[in-house]
Amino acid sequence: MGDNLAFTLVGGGCAAICLGLLIFIIVMLASITVVNEKQQILFILPTTKEVKNGPFTEIVWPHLNHEVRDAVQVELSEYAVLKHERTQELRHVPGPQFVFMGAYETLEGKRTKIVMQKQEYVRLIDKMTGEERVVAGPTTLVPNPLEEYPTGVETAIVIGAQNAVLVYNKTSGLKSLITEAGAFIPAPYEEILSEQQARLLEPLEYAVVKDLLTGEARNEVGPKLLQQGPYEEILATKQKMVLEKDEYLQLLDKKTGTERVLKGPDQVVPGPSEEAPGGGKQKAVFLTDQQAVVVLNRTSGQRRLETTNGVFIPEAYERVLEVRTKYLVLTHQAAVTRDVQGNLREISGADGSDAFFLQPYEELVQMQWSVYQPDSVDPVPKETVTMIDLRSQKMFYNVEVRTSDNVKMRIQGTLFWQVKNVLTMIAMTADPAGDVSQRARSGLIAAVSKATFATFMNEFGNITQQAFAAEATDPFYLSRGVELQSLEMTKYEMVDQETANILQLIIQESTNRINQLQQQESENDVKAAKLVADIELEKQRTSLITTQAANEKLQASLQGQAAGTELVESAVAFIDGLNETISEVTDRTSLYRLHQLLDSRNIDTSNLATGQAQLFLTPSNLNLQLRMANNEL
Ligand SMILES: *[C@@H]1O[C@H](CO)[C@@H](O)[C@H](O)[C@H]1NC(C)=O
Ligand SMILES: *[C@@H]1O[C@H](CO)[C@@H](O)[C@H](O)[C@H]1NC(C)=O
Ligand SMILES: *[C@@H]1O[C@H](CO)[C@@H](O)[C@H](O)[C@H]1NC(C)=O
Ligand SMILES: *[C@@H]1O[C@H](CO)[C@@H](O)[C@H](O)[C@H]1NC(C)=O
């Protein structure tokens, strides 16, 4: 159409017109613009902007302010971000395509699309509205212009048998636990707080779980897989208690104060608020004839002694305070018990051995007795005595004394004493052994201090005896229910070295003298022995002679008796025969004597005549002769 006009002008005018025409044509030809299919022309008009997308060919007059621009090439994995100049609004254009921008649009850039695999997701948050959406893979995603995804592409949590996901619902403000198996992708406005593993409770375990909303605790008993709830806390996992046959467990509920007792064999799970006051399981007590228990009943506050034979397990509200064994009192022993009022009771074995349990509120009276060993020096060690020995007891003493002439000595010895009255003793003293020892020693010191050293040396046995005699009658012992039975000195030694040396010399001298004496004595002994032997010999000889003499005497006596009998016969015949003639018996006897005398004179004379014997006449014989001559003849 323009061409037709140009040729008409060429035909009508000439040079100027033709020139003008020519210029016009040149301009026109130069203004022919060819826009391909990937281009557009942006016309920038005084008041507005316009675009015309290719492909086309057009004359664009030079006075028109315009711009040919390429379409934006967006790849498959990309999207273009276009910005509107006037509204500043953004527009996302996903690839793949050539994007013709709008008249007011500029290219902000090309971005990579969000690529998500199968178990991936992205949380998109609108900057303007705060609105959230969650898009899960597999997909590629072009976010809306105002959407952000600050956490990027996230992987879903795969929930299996052992794990769970704790989520927070931002709308409701509540937490919840997702345990459903599978890949977990949170919903919009849902935040994952944590992934948590379940806790395996073994068959012998249990867990104490606290509900944080109610404050209540509960037990979860194994074997199980424990998943802690959103508002729960596992306070502890503990071992179940296994009670054997002779074991028991006392459980006190701290909330209610009630108690229960569980007896074995059993498996025990204490309640969440229960506690074992005894510190766990306890062994039952076997009660026998020799063993009993003191039990406190916490309902009544009373104690009792349980002696029933068998296995003893306390009831609820009972406590085993003490296991008591029986005290055996032998025949030589005594024991004393004290009750709460302080009353003493004596259990004596004197009437046969005895055995007893202490009653709940009783105790055995304990005493501390001094123990004196041969070398002990005060203060001596003490021993605890509960069973009092009623036998006579030995004690050693070791004491320093001074004689009246001031010689210092250490004397040692033993003393025997015996408990006579147990209750009196306990009432008076806690250490009878100490008392007896002190008293007896002071008595001994007093006795020694009255004697001189010489006296002491000569009769120390007597001094001890005197001291004992004085002590034995001392009411001190009686008032303590004991008796001092003997006091003996076994050794004395000098304390001063000088005295000891002198004593040593004296002893040596005495020993020498004793030795000499011994020597003399043994010589004398030899002599004496010889004498004794001689005497014995002589005695035997005497005995021989005596026996011989006795035999001869016996023989002679027998002969004599025969002759005597003969003589008597003849004398009787002679004397009695004259009874008629001479009446007086004395006269007849005199006559017989004369007859006999004459007989004997005749024998003497015949002996003289026949033997070599010589006759000596003594005056008495002469007297006799003379008197006979005068009176008798
Ligand atoms: C979050 O709580 C709201 C309000 O109670 C509820 O409507 C929504 O379903 C909950 N979201 C999920 C994922 O449970
Ligand atoms: C403890 O004492 C209470 C009150 O006296 C009594 O009822 C209860 O039986 C006693 N318990 C036992 C085990 O004896
Ligand atoms: C022992 O003492 C007694 C009483 O003092 C006394 O009579 C006696 O003679 C003494 N014995 C000796 C051997 O000294
Ligand atoms: C003398 O003894 C004879 C005989 O024995 C006797 O018979 C006689 O009577 C005695 N004469 C006198 C006086 O006793």
Side-chain angles (χ1 to χ4, degrees):
M1 189 178 62
D3 297 344
N4 292 344
L5 181 62
F7 283 111
T8 319
L9 288 171
V10 170
C14 197
I17 294 171
C18 282
L19 184 66
L21 194 63
L22 187 66
I23 291 168
F24 175 76
I25 287 166
I26 290 167
V27 169
M28 188 185 71
L29 287 175
S31 301
I32 292 172
T33 309
V34 179
V35 176
N36 66 22
E37 80 273 10
K38 291 179 188 168
Q39 289 179 324
Q40 66 175 179
I41 292 181
L42 172 67
F43 296 101
I44 304 163
L45 305 174
T47 56
T48 179
K49 281 185 180 176
E50 279 174 19
V51 283
K52 189 170 183 189
N53 299 339
F56 62 86
T57 307
E58 206 178 271
I59 296 165
V60 181
W61 298 106
H63 70 280
L64 280 178
N65 193 359
H66 72 280
E67 190 182 308
V68 177
R69 60 183 183 185
D70 289 334
V72 179
Q73 188 186 353
V74 185
E75 304 288 338
L76 175 66
S77 64
E78 290 177 333
Y79 64 91
V81 181
L82 304 176
K83 190 175 183 179
H84 194 286
E85 272 174 19
R86 295 215 173 144
T87 63
Q88 295 291 309
E89 265 176 33
L90 291 173
R91 182 164 75 92
H92 287 179
V93 185
Q97 61 177 301
F98 288 98
V99 179
F100 291 109
M101 288 185 283
Y104 291 98
E105 279 181 337
T106 53
L107 178 64
E108 279 287 293
K110 282 185 278 188
R111 308 256 165 87
T112 313
K113 283 184 193 169
I114 302 171
V115 180
M116 282 171 293
Q117 310 281 352
K118 183 156 168 44
Q119 284 178 350
E120 290 178 335
Y121 67 92
V122 70
R123 182 193 301 273
L124 299 161
I125 303 165
D126 191 304
K127 269 199 288 188
M128 295 287 286
T129 61
E131 214 169 290
E132 277 188 22
R133 68 184 175 113
V134 171
V135 180
T139 185
T140 51
L141 174 74
V142 176
N144 293 333
L146 287 175
E147 277 181 341
E148 277 185 337
Y149 46 106
T151 51
V153 175
E154 290 170 278
T155 309
I157 294 172
V158 179
I159 298 176
Q162 289 187 330
N163 62 344
V165 178
L166 184 64
V167 295
Y168 177 61
N169 186 335
K170 286 193 269 190
T171 318
S172 63
L174 293 178
K175 287 192 260 188
S176 60
L177 191 71
I178 313 295
T179 55
E180 227 171 279
F184 171 72
I185 291 170
Y189 310 108
E190 208 175 42
E191 189 184 336
I192 293 179
L193 292 178
S194 65
E195 180 188 353
Q196 75 182 27
Q197 295 293 326
R199 192 125 171 198
L200 179 66
L201 294 179
E202 304 281 348
L204 279 179
E205 279 182 340
Y206 70 96
V208 183
V209 181
K210 184 177 177 183
D211 189 324
L212 296 175
L213 298 179
T214 61
E216 292 284 344
R218 69 188 153 84
N219 281 345
E220 290 287 346
V221 181
K224 79 183 316 189
L225 209 54
L226 173 67
Q227 212 30 283
Q228 185 181 342
Y231 292 100
E232 281 177 353
E233 187 188 351
I234 296 179
L235 294 180
T237 50
K238 298 182 185 174
Q239 291 291 321
K240 285 183 195 172
M241 261 183 237
V242 177
L243 297 181
E244 287 175 20
K245 182 81 184 144
D246 62 339
E247 290 176 331
Y248 68 92
L249 181 68
Q250 274 183 324
L251 291 174
L252 168 68
D253 191 324
K254 280 189 288 178
K255 277 204 298 202
T256 61
T258 54
E259 253 184 43
R260 64 185 174 124
V261 174
L262 299 164
K263 299 172 187 177
D266 203 357
Q267 228 182 45
V268 178
V269 176
S273 59
E274 276 182 337
E275 204 179 58
K281 60 188 177 183
Q282 285 164 296
K283 280 255 182 242
V285 184
F286 297 110
L287 300 188
T288 61
D289 285 339
Q290 298 302 319
Q291 191 160 280
V293 280
V294 179
V295 184
L296 172 66
N297 182 339
R298 303 211 309 155
T299 315
S300 60
Q302 296 301 306
R303 293 178 188 191
R304 70 190 158 89
L305 186 73
E306 182 65 57
T307 54
T308 320
N309 283 4
V311 177
F312 176 74
I313 291 177
E315 303 290 325
Y317 309 109
E318 278 192 336
R319 291 280 180 286
V320 172
L321 293 182
E322 198 185 318
V323 177
R324 285 191 175 168
T325 43
K326 217 173 210 177
Y327 286 102
L328 181 64
V329 184
L330 298 177
T331 47
H332 66 269
Q333 290 179 323
V336 177
T337 62
R338 184 191 288 124
D339 65 16
V340 269
Q341 274 104 36
N343 297 326
L344 298 178
R345 177 166 73 99
E346 180 189 346
I347 296 112
S348 169
D351 314 322
S353 60
D354 200 355
F356 67 98
F357 283 121
L358 281 180
Q359 292 304 308
Y361 293 100
E362 261 184 354
E363 60 178 11
L364 206 57
V365 175
Q366 284 193 350
M367 287 180 288
Q368 299 292 326
W369 287 16
S370 300
V371 181
Y372 290 93
Q373 292 302 327
D375 294 325
S376 346
V377 183
D378 278 314
V380 295
K382 296 205 169 189
E383 65 174 353
T384 304
V385 173
T386 48
M387 287 291 159
I388 299 158
D389 200 332
L390 296 177
R391 293 175 296 189
S392 179
Q393 304 187 46
K394 183 161 92 168
M395 206 152 53
F396 295 94
Y397 65 82
N398 174 6
V399 64
E400 205 174 276
V401 294
R402 210 176 260 275
T403 59
S404 62
D405 48 357
N406 232 348
V407 177
K408 226 162 57 166
M409 286 180 295
R410 175 163 295 281
I411 61 178
Q412 293 180 4
T414 51
L415 60 87
F416 287 86
W417 66 287
Q418 192 174 15
V419 177
K420 288 288 179 184
N421 187 328
V422 174
L423 289 181
T424 310
M425 179 186 76
I426 285 182
M428 283 295 284
T429 177
D431 180 10
D435 288 7
V436 167
S437 176
Q438 294 285 355
R439 187 73 174 193
R441 278 185 289 161
S442 60
L444 195 62
I445 292 172
V448 172
S449 69
K450 278 188 217 144
T452 60
F453 179 60
T455 320
F456 175 82
M457 293 266 283
N458 289 333
E459 39 187 275
F460 66 83
N462 208 15
I463 287 173
T464 326
Q465 278 308 315
Q466 282 172 31
F468 169 67
E471 287 302 304
T473 52
D474 191 340
F476 175 87
Y477 301 99
L478 192 65
S479 71
R480 278 165 175 71
V482 298
E483 184 187 76
L484 184 67
Q485 293 180 327
S486 85
L487 186 62
E488 281 149 28
M489 193 191 305
T490 55
K491 182 181 175 186
Y492 66 87
E493 62 190 14
M494 294 306 119
V495 175
D496 294 331
Q497 189 56 42
E498 215 165 308
T499 325
N501 291 345
I502 291 169
L503 196 65
Q504 193 62 37
L505 284 177
I506 292 173
I507 289 168
Q508 268 174 12
E509 193 52 41
S510 319
T511 316
N512 288 343
R513 264 168 54 193
I514 288 168
N515 283 346
Q516 286 164 6
L517 274 175
Q518 289 283 330
Q519 210 174 346
Q520 186 63 46
E521 216 166 80
S522 46
E523 281 169 14
N524 289 348
D525 277 354
V526 171
K527 283 179 186 162
K530 186 169 179 301
L531 208 58
V532 167
D534 287 352
I535 289 169
E536 192 61 29
L537 196 64
E538 287 305 312
K539 264 187 191 164
Q540 281 171 8
R541 205 175 284 166
T542 310
S543 148
L544 178 66
I545 291 166
T546 312
T547 313
Q548 280 173 350
N551 285 347
E552 279 168 13
K553 197 170 157 192
L554 193 62
Q555 209 174 356
S557 144
L558 285 174
Q559 278 173 3
Q561 258 176 30
T565 312
E566 213 179 316
L567 201 59
V568 167
E569 297 275 294
S570 74
V572 168
F574 184 90
I575 292 169
D576 282 354
L578 284 178
N579 71 335
E580 294 284 314
T581 331
I582 302 161
S583 59
E584 274 301 306
V585 176
T586 42
D587 293 342
R588 274 182 273 155
T589 313
S590 296
L591 196 61
Y592 179 68
R593 192 186 298 151
L594 183 65
H595 169 70
Q596 283 297 99
L597 190 69
L598 287 176
D599 260 5
S600 127
R601 287 282 154 86
N602 288 340
I603 290 166
D604 286 347
T605 314
S606 92
N607 280 351
L608 284 173
T610 58
Q612 289 96 26
Q614 286 180 326
L615 174 66
F616 295 95
L617 289 178
T618 63
S620 69
N621 282 353
L622 284 177
N623 263 348
L624 184 68
Q625 293 289 351
L626 287 175
R627 219 178 288 159
M628 270 197 302
N630 286 341
N631 298 338
E632 311 284 333
L633 294 175

